[in-house]
Amino acid sequence: ALLAPSYLAEFPEYEPERIVGALRSLGFRYVIEVARGADRVAAAYEQLLRRDPEGSWVATACPAVVERIRKYHPDLVPRLAPIVSPMIAAAIEVRNIYGDDVRCVFIGPCIAKKIEARDPLLPPAVQEALTFSELRRIFAQHSLDPSGAVPSDFDPPHAGTGRAFPLIGGLLISAGLQSDPLDGRFIVATGRRETEEVLSDMERDGVRPRLVEVLMCHGCHEGPGMSRTDSSHRRRANICARVPRTSPAVAPECTVEELSRVFTPVDRRLAEPSEEDIRNVLARTNKFSVEDELNCGACGYPTCRAK
């Protein structure tokens, strides 16, 4: 079991050792913190930026952002940092330690991980990806209450500051790249709207930061695979409480080459309709003038014209 660090926000009612014990009761032989993979990924990003002082990169830890760029901003694909996500990094290290016959199951807050686990451009390191909501259903199906599970520790390799990855700016924290708020070398964008604004601006060469950390959610602890309804502040606090101030005594020595990957564009953009086409469609929805375009957003699009 590869357990994403957002589990601290999903299961605050249980001690971490109880969650590990519950996973062992389900039949998992090893339970590993994906935050260890985040430690390795952070080290690779630090090296990438050091090697390429003039480069401008988009972080690739969020698979939803990666898919959006591949499909709707294909011109930015060359700027995707050529580094795997913490999930893949953790799975690769687990297989190096415990053998290639180990079957890895990721458990976290993200539904886009299901696509990433089957990405043909990646090694088949992860066999399945589950959400926390699905894990809770599995616990219920087995009548398993984690509060009564035998406490157990995570298996090695152990995690360090990578536990901060679910937080907004977590990559910068883990890689030691935190900068002055007035320093424009690093940009953090979260949520669909803010992410789209930054990507569109980069496409127009409006901004060229050293690194853009983008998350389609407002932090991984806000992922759609979560079942908690706690406030964002409370979820963040539950994670922060377990983030060490320094990395483990033996920090992961990791190079970009060890965790490298490639990306290819999959252009899904539609041809821009003519003004006449737009007016005809608007007329079919009883919008004959600008005044008729209410732009209420109820359809899911920001304006009638956008729809």
Side-chain angles (χ1 to χ4, degrees):
L2 305 179
L3 193 61
S6 293
Y7 83 92
L8 295 164
E10 172 66 27
F11 299 104
E13 70 270 39
Y14 305 120
E15 298 171 351
E17 293 77 15
R18 300 281 183 182
I19 296 297
V20 176
L23 288 170
R24 296 195 195 282
S25 296
L26 288 177
F28 288 104
R29 182 172 181 182
Y30 306 109
V31 184
I32 309 292
E33 287 187 272
V34 172
R36 167 63 182 196
D39 285 325
R40 303 187 78 221
V41 164
Y45 271 95
E46 193 276 332
Q47 185 185 80
L48 175 68
L49 296 179
R50 189 163 17 92
R51 284 185 185 178
D52 184 16
E54 301 301 321
S56 177
W57 300 100
V58 177
T60 54
C62 175
V65 168
V66 169
E67 287 302 302
R68 186 164 189 85
I69 290 175
R70 292 179 68 204
K71 294 173 181 176
Y72 302 109
H73 298 278
D75 292 341
L76 291 179
V77 166
R79 293 174 70 174
L80 288 171
I83 298 172
V84 300
S85 71
M87 175 183 79
I88 301 299
I92 290 173
E93 188 171 21
V94 163
R95 288 173 174 276
N96 288 339
I97 295 173
Y98 297 107
D100 285 334
D101 59 333
V102 171
R103 296 176 61 80
C104 295
V105 177
F106 171 83
I107 305 171
C110 180
I111 59 176
K113 287 294 183 185
K114 294 177 180 288
I115 295 177
E116 183 186 9
R118 291 164 173 76
D119 190 336
L121 298 176
L122 287 169
V126 177
Q127 278 61 56
E128 190 55 79
L130 301 176
T131 65
F132 289 134
S133 298
E134 289 171 329
L135 178 60
R136 282 189 182 271
R137 290 206 297 272
I138 294 173
F139 283 155
Q141 289 166 1
H142 288 263
S143 301
L144 180 58
D145 181 1
S147 64
V150 177
S152 181
D153 293 327
F154 282 101
D155 292 292
H158 298 296
T161 54
R163 291 175 185 160
F165 244 69
L167 306 175
I168 296 174
L171 168 57
L172 298 181
I173 296 171
S174 302
L177 298 172
Q178 283 179 298
S179 59
D180 187 297
L182 300 179
D183 185 348
R185 292 180 303 161
F186 304 107
I187 292 178
V188 177
T190 65
R192 183 192 59 79
R193 179 172 297 180
E194 190 172 289
T195 294
E196 185 61 30
E197 287 177 352
V198 170
L199 295 180
S200 297
D201 204 13
M202 291 181 70
E203 221 166 22
R204 296 189 298 266
D205 283 329
V207 291
R208 191 175 174 81
R210 297 282 286 109
L211 179 66
V212 180
E213 182 180 349
V214 276
L215 298 171
M216 196 60 77
C217 301
H218 295 287
C220 297
H221 55 291
E222 296 281 328
M226 304 278 293
S227 64
R228 300 293 300 179
T229 58
D230 296 340
S231 68
S232 179
H233 170 74
R234 186 176 294 275
R235 296 186 198 192
R236 184 179 184 279
N238 290 333
I239 294 172
C240 289
R242 295 278 296 186
V243 177
R245 294 300 177 184
T246 58
S247 288
V250 181
E253 295 291 336
C254 198
T255 65
V256 175
E257 288 74 21
E258 289 178 78
L259 299 180
S260 66
R261 67 155 301 176
V262 297
F263 300 94
T264 58
V266 187
D267 197 340
R268 297 285 176 82
R269 292 173 295 181
L270 299 176
E272 193 71 21
S274 67
E275 180 64 24
E276 181 182 2
D277 290 336
I278 295 175
R279 294 306 324 168
N280 287 338
V281 173
L282 286 170
R284 278 157 49 195
T285 58
N286 298 316
K287 297 175 180 61
F288 302 100
S289 67
V290 175
E291 289 72 23
D292 295 330
E293 299 174 26
L294 302 180
N295 300 332
C296 65
C299 66
Y301 290 87
T303 66
C304 299
R305 175 171 286 265
K307 181 185 178 182

